[in-house]
């Protein structure tokens, strides 16, 4: 069971907006540690999508955004496209367990 | 552009030691602003952080794996290596090496994995 909880799956039609939640606790997100998001296509390594809660690395489209509040974080993707279909993971640090932690992952399906 | 590449046996027998090396090309691991780590992903499952190293020797371990993990760096070859002892079938996974980066003005605990190798599947089986 992951320290950071994500929904196993979300889906949306092309052009729609979807959000993926990442729920933590007072020892990770709630303690102020940054949340990062990764996108993983089948058979490939994860790639960072959002860093430092809400920053997009160069090359990530602005229809992707991140936010953080209290003990949770969210990834939002607007104008859904077929290429967005992938697994998404949140990541932070947990001071109680003394380790970097990942969420269990969310599979995004574009209908 | 800096790239990471994992190498090592794809099959390890139970109770033996898994050994992997990550080679950093077109770059150096001797950067004060980067850490270097290993992450694994069992087939069909999520990501698990294993260990992180700074070239100066500072090391951070996943507590659940610490007793079995060794990480080392060879700065002359721009390589860092992972050893995992007493492996079982539960250690079967794709193993990724990755660079950990972030603003130097904030603690490394806030950093993220900004560059990854392609990953290598290691199967533990007799």
């Amino acid at each position: 069971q992951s320290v950071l909880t994500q929904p196993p799956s979300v889906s949306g039609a092309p052009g729609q907006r979807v959000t993926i939640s990442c729920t933590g606790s007072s020892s990770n997100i709630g303690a102020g540690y940054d949340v990062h998001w990764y996108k993983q296509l089948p058979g490939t390594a994860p790639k960072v999508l959002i860093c430092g809660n809400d920053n997009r690395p160069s090359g990530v489209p602005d229809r992707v955004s991140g936010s953080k509040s209290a003990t949770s974080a969210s990834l939002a993707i607007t104008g859904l496209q077929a290429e967005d279909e992938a697994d998404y993971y949140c990541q932070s640090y947990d001071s109680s367990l003394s380790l970097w932690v990942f969420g269990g992952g969310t599979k995004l399906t574009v209908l | 552009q800096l790239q990471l590449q994992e190498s090592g046996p794809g099959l390890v027998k139970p109770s033996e030691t898994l050994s992997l090396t990550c080679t950093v090309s077109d770059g150096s691991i001797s950067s004060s602003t980067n850490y270097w780590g290993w992450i694994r992903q069992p087939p069909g499952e999520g990501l698990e952080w294993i260990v992180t190293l700074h070239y100066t020797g500072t090391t951070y371990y996943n507590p659940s794996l610490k007793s079995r993990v060794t990480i080392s760096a060879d700065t002359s070859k721009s390589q860092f290596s992972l050893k995992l002892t007493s492996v079982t079938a539960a250690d079967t996974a794709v193993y990724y090496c990755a660079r950990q980066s972030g603003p130097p003005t904030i603690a490394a605990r806030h950093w993220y994995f900004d560059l990854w190798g392609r990953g290598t599947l290691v199967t533990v089986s007799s």
Side-chain angles (χ1 to χ4, degrees):
Chain A
Q1 194 138 357
S2 303
V3 171
L4 303 178
T5 302
Q6 298 181 233
S9 63
V10 297
S11 62
Q16 286 189 331
R17 177 180 186 270
V18 295
T19 62
I20 299 173
S21 61
C22 175
T23 303
S25 68
S26 58
S27 62
N28 41 68
I29 300 175
Y33 293 108
D34 284 353
V35 178
H36 319 290
W37 291 89
Y38 303 85
K39 175 183 179 180
Q40 185 178 34
L41 294 168
T44 69
K47 290 183 67 173
V48 62
L49 206 59
I50 293 288
C51 58
N53 305 316
D54 56 8
N55 299 293
R56 282 186 306 274
S58 136
V60 176
D62 60 7
R63 59 190 185 82
V64 176
S65 63
S67 64
K68 172 187 163 182
S69 177
T71 58
S72 66
S74 288
L75 176 72
I77 305 174
T78 60
L80 210 55
Q81 301 177 6
E83 65 196 46
D84 298 324
E85 188 159 292
D87 293 326
Y88 293 83
Y89 294 89
C90 60
Q91 178 250 308
S92 187
Y93 182 85
D94 191 284
S95 58
S96 176
L97 299 173
S98 296
L99 77 166
W100 282 279
V101 291
F102 290 90
T106 298
K107 182 175 181 58
L108 169 59
T109 300
V110 180
L111 302 171
Chain B
Q1 184 182 352
L2 190 144
Q3 293 184 326
L4 287 74
Q5 178 67 58
E6 305 88 352
S7 60
L11 181 63
V12 181
K13 289 183 168 55
S15 79
E16 295 190 345
T17 296
L18 178 160
S19 296
L20 296 173
T21 295
C22 182
T23 301
V24 179
S25 58
D26 295 328
S28 170
I29 64 171
S30 304
S31 166
S32 62
T33 57
N34 295 131
Y35 283 61
W36 305 92
W38 289 94
I39 297 138
R40 69 181 182 179
Q41 184 172 35
E45 297 185 25
L47 301 163
E48 179 182 35
W49 169 72
I50 302 171
V51 64
T52 287
L53 168 79
H54 189 257
Y55 84 98
T56 56
T58 299
T59 308
Y60 304 93
Y61 295 91
N62 183 325
S64 69
L65 297 169
K66 183 176 182 178
S67 64
R68 298 196 291 133
V69 168
T70 303
I71 187 171
S72 60
D74 185 336
T75 55
S76 67
K77 296 181 179 179
S78 283
Q79 293 178 333
F80 59 103
S81 298
L82 170 74
K83 290 189 187 300
L84 180 66
T85 62
S86 304
V87 296
T88 69
D91 295 309
T92 293
V94 174
Y95 285 75
Y96 297 100
C97 59
R99 186 179 71 178
Q100 212 163 346
S101 300
T105 52
I106 64 174
R109 291 179 174 186
H110 293 272
W111 290 8
Y112 58 98
F113 300 94
D114 69 330
L115 206 59
W116 298 61
R118 291 186 175 184
T120 185
L121 174 63
V122 178
T123 301
V124 178
S125 175
S126 55

